[in-house]
Amino acid sequence: MKDHVWNPWHGCIQWSRGCQNCYVYRRDASVGRDASQVRRTKAFAYPLEKDRSGAYKVLPGASVYCCMTSDFFLKEADPWREGAWDIIRIRSDVHFTIITKRITRFLQCIPGDWGVGWPNVRICCT
């Protein structure tokens, strides 16, 4: 099964010494883009996209890695996060991995129905 990358927003504010050699900053600089400018992407609804036959492009059971060019818990993404949670909730048949440096924001950023977690979401902290 194919793994997918979903970047609902792009850009990040460097958070710690671990961000010093960030690949997003290097890559954006190489194409003249400022990685500190956080923006919602055109791919925001990617997990919900369907092909011509009406089937999801991200097949049930697939793995999706979230925010590989940002951080899911980035404060600047607060206006969009609930919409991202809605997509993850709709696609409960897909396994989402969220890797963050901002685990301290986790509790204030989870949806109201999170409970003890959703079985299709894995949170990793670096």
Side-chain angles (χ1 to χ4, degrees), residues 31-98:
V31 296
R33 192 178 344 174
D34 180 359
S36 69
Q37 299 298 308
V38 180
R39 61 180 170 75
R40 184 177 147 155
T41 67
K42 293 177 186 173
F44 185 83
Y46 172 68
L48 299 178
E49 291 179 5
K50 296 183 177 182
D51 63 20
R52 292 179 192 207
S53 71
Y56 283 121
K57 291 180 179 179
V58 177
L59 298 176
S63 293
V64 175
Y65 295 89
C66 304
C67 287
M68 301 308 290
T69 63
S70 189
D71 191 301
F72 194 83
F73 300 112
L74 184 71
K75 182 173 179 40
E76 289 74 9
D78 285 354
W80 313 308
R81 189 172 308 97
E82 190 58 41
W85 283 125
D86 289 342
I87 291 167
I88 293 169
R89 185 182 296 109
I90 291 166
R91 291 306 311 272
S92 62
D93 59 337
V94 171
H95 306 284
F96 291 88
T97 299
I98 298 171

Side-chain angles (χ1 to χ4, degrees), residues 89-126:
R89 185 182 296 109
I90 291 166
R91 291 306 311 272
S92 62
D93 59 337
V94 171
H95 306 284
F96 291 88
T97 299
I98 298 171
I99 303 170
T100 184
K101 285 188 177 353
R102 291 166 173 82
I103 200 65
T104 57
R105 296 198 77 230
F106 175 73
L107 291 177
Q108 72 189 70
C109 295
I110 55 175
D113 62 347
W114 181 258
V116 296
W118 293 347
N120 67 319
V121 178
R122 178 174 41 187
I123 306 292
C124 304
C125 179
T126 60

